Amino acid sequence: MILPGVRKPTARLLSAALFIVAFAALATAPAGAFELKPFKDRLFAYPGTLESRDGGAYITVDYRELRDINKRDQVPERRVNRRYVDLAPKKYQSEQALQTAAGEIRFFVVGNPVNTRLVTVYVHGRGGDRSQGVNDFSFGGNFNRIKNLMVRNSGIYITPDGGDLGDMAAARIRLLLEAVFRQVPGARVVLACGSAGGAVCHSLAHVDQVAMRLAGIALLGSFGSDAFVGSAAYRNRVPVFIAHGGSDSVIPVQGVEAFYRTLRGTQGYPVRMVRFETGGHGTPIRMTDWRDMINWMLSARSG
């Protein structure tokens, strides 16, 4: 049995020691306040701040394509320079499938399920799939960094197929999360959604049993929603991190800034926004500092 109460997937699971089976046999540590330890912080730090507002809650980052893509990548937008990458997490990575009441969901999972304190879930945008979030060399090596941060900090990283990112896809991801919750009852979850994957973040924000477990929601080149105000995540004061390109032609930054201001207008609501000046639609996935973001979420959630 892969998970209690769930039928075994028909798809072959590509792991010698299955992630979820291992969870069933291992105790987990409570997810009290803690910080992720540094990993290649100098390479992945924001290159400079052009403007800071709201006591640092909103910053504009000095993004430059020639420096942050062409000089960072060995092959621009395809393969980052090797110094940005550490492939050690590969030995903790497996591809799996789970049958749910809403249909089968396939996903990659990375990490050692011993004393798990934190789970980070990344949902891709339209046209993507589960493999985007485990590509070590694309997007400036930023997915490799989150894999390393989870492996090195008693964490697990999961990147599922989002399909068409509609209601059924959100339902499958919700059921996957609920299965993980049962196996790691003490762990918090960071839910990060890129581009159109934000539909999944906004959908799950309305699910009480999900919202109670969230350390934070990250919208990376994605969109806001007026319906978030009043959602289960909103009532639980789940921290919201927004990263967006100032020149995004797919989802203009103005609408996202309005969403930030709406949350900011709620006294004390934990929200941050990072605007990458001149950045395009994919810039936040390449440039977001995962460690800085998650440590802020953990601090805000424990406060």
Side-chain angles (χ1 to χ4, degrees), residues 191 193 198-207 210-211 214-219 223-242 258-264 266 269-272 296-297 301:
L191 180 60
C193 296
V200 174
C201 271
H202 286 297
S203 175
L204 297 183
H206 291 268
V207 181
V210 172
L214 290 179
I217 292 174
L219 301 171
F223 52 88
S225 170
D226 291 341
F228 183 85
V229 176
S231 68
Y234 182 85
R235 294 193 306 272
N236 280 274
R237 299 182 64 80
V238 173
V240 175
F241 177 89
I242 303 165
F259 179 61
Y260 163 81
R261 288 193 297 271
T262 295
L263 294 183
R264 179 74 184 171
T266 302
Y269 194 88
V271 58
R272 287 183 65 194
W296 168 74
M297 289 175 170
R301 197 70 164 113

Side-chain angles (χ1 to χ4, degrees), residues 2 17-27 113 183:
I2 303 304
L18 298 181
F19 153 75
I20 296 176
V21 170
F23 268 171
L26 292 166
Q183 302 291 358

Side-chain angles (χ1 to χ4, degrees), residues 93-104:
Q93 178 173 313
S94 65
E95 184 177 9
Q96 300 196 30
L98 177 69
Q99 292 290 349
T100 77
E104 182 182 79

Side-chain angles (χ1 to χ4, degrees), residues 93-138:
Q93 178 173 313
S94 65
E95 184 177 9
Q96 300 196 30
L98 177 69
Q99 292 290 349
T100 77
E104 182 182 79
I105 184 167
R106 294 172 178 267
F107 58 99
F108 281 98
V109 61
V110 185
N112 185 341
V114 176
N115 296 326
T116 302
R117 296 187 292 181
L118 183 67
V119 179
T120 297
V121 179
Y122 169 75
V123 181
H124 60 79
R126 198 169 308 283
D129 60 24
R130 63 194 180 280
S131 63
Q132 183 192 70
V134 290
N135 190 315
D136 291 298
F137 292 96
S138 66

